[in-house]
Amino acid sequence: GQSLEQPSEVTAVEGAIVQINCTYQTSGFYGLSWYQQHDGGAPTFLSYNALDGLEETGRFSSFLSRSDSYGYLLLQELQMKDSASYFCAVRDNFNKFYFGSGTKLNVKP
Amino acid sequence: DAGVTQSPTHLIKTRGQQVTLRCSPISGHKSVSWYQQVLGQGPQFIFQYYEKEERGRGNFPDRFSARQFPNYSSELNVNALLLGDSALYLCASSLQGHEQFFGPGTRLTVL
């Protein structure tokens, strides 16, 4: 079946670096996306990897290894406003989108 | 530019009733997707529409249906509501599919 696994919760201090992992199992693969969602808000797009390697966007980087069905989101120079839930998501060959259950990031001063 | 808009913001229904949720995509976006999000979980894919045609369907019962109009806006209909349908319903529009822009959602409560 289809599944995405990511840690349920991660805690880090302001200014630190944190990595959120995601492993997936889907029928076909079009790419791995990452979304951020603050409590009470809508998910917002962070990054997308279609090919293996690292994509960098400001303080956020995302990595993909298709052979390992694995990716991660790296957040650097953590700020209090980064406290939110982070979701990995994939699209399969049948135009279905799958989201992980989310990782709640707690940033402490 | 306006983002994705959804209406209504909140809705309370009773079991067995029917509900229609509405979504307007970002101007120029032809793809609209619908998701159900239960508190504490990730969005669950319901439908994707592109150019008024259904392109993808998630594992939801036939009580759930949707359509897309010529102006690319979309409606999600849910019949015979169950208590378990209580959730946040999110609409997302996109140009290329992988970068989706979500609306604020409709909070549906079924009593």
Side-chain angles (χ1 to χ4, degrees):
Chain A
Q2 325 294 347
S3 69
L4 288 89
E5 299 290 334
Q6 50 181 128
S8 60
E9 193 165 354
V10 173
T11 299
V13 297
E14 215 173 357
I17 299 173
V18 71
Q19 178 174 313
I20 299 174
N21 299 321
C22 174
T23 58
Y24 60 86
Q25 179 182 353
T26 59
S27 302
F29 177 80
Y30 268 59
L32 182 69
S33 301
W34 289 91
Y35 289 82
Q36 177 193 61
Q37 187 176 32
H38 287 96
D39 285 347
T44 56
F45 174 81
L46 292 177
S47 69
Y48 173 72
N49 296 69
L51 303 176
D52 292 351
L54 190 69
E55 293 284 341
E56 297 181 76
T57 308
R59 295 187 297 114
F60 295 168
S61 302
S62 58
F63 172 83
L64 174 65
S65 169
R66 289 174 295 171
S67 61
D68 295 322
S69 297
Y70 164 77
Y72 66 72
L73 179 69
L74 191 73
L75 297 84
Q76 303 182 73
E77 301 173 15
L78 280 175
Q79 303 175 9
M80 297 299 292
K81 67 179 182 178
D82 296 330
S83 292
S85 292
Y86 293 83
F87 298 92
C88 57
V90 303
R91 183 173 65 165
D92 70 8
N93 286 343
F94 303 99
N95 274 320
K96 293 185 179 181
F97 296 80
Y98 297 94
F99 278 70
S101 54
T103 298
K104 185 173 177 61
L105 173 62
N106 302 303
V107 180
K108 298 191 171 183
Chain B
D1 285 342
V4 177
T5 60
Q6 293 186 242
S7 63
T9 305
H10 296 86
L11 203 52
I12 299 175
K13 293 285 189 178
T14 56
R15 282 178 295 176
Q17 286 189 309
Q18 175 265 341
V19 68
T20 298
L21 311 181
R22 295 177 177 82
C23 170
S24 292
I26 292 172
S27 178
H29 286 193
K30 299 180 179 180
S31 174
V32 170
S33 299
W34 286 96
Y35 294 85
Q36 180 195 68
Q37 187 175 27
V38 175
L39 192 63
Q41 297 185 16
Q44 298 296 309
F45 174 69
I46 308 176
F47 288 109
Q48 186 202 31
Y49 277 78
Y50 180 78
E51 288 279 18
K52 296 170 288 181
E53 292 190 3
E54 183 184 299
R55 290 296 185 91
R57 173 186 284 255
N59 296 324
F60 279 80
D62 292 343
R63 299 184 297 109
F64 289 77
S65 63
R67 56 179 175 169
Q68 187 177 32
F69 299 98
N71 66 353
Y72 304 112
S73 66
S74 178
E75 287 183 351
L76 175 70
N77 296 284
V78 187
N79 294 321
L81 284 167
L82 304 174
L83 295 179
D85 295 332
S86 295
L88 180 67
Y89 288 84
L90 295 162
C91 170
S93 74
S94 67
L95 279 172
Q96 295 179 332
H98 63 265
E99 182 174 356
Q100 298 188 78
F101 296 83
F102 284 83
T106 294
R107 174 73 61 187
L108 173 65
T109 301
V110 182
L111 302 176

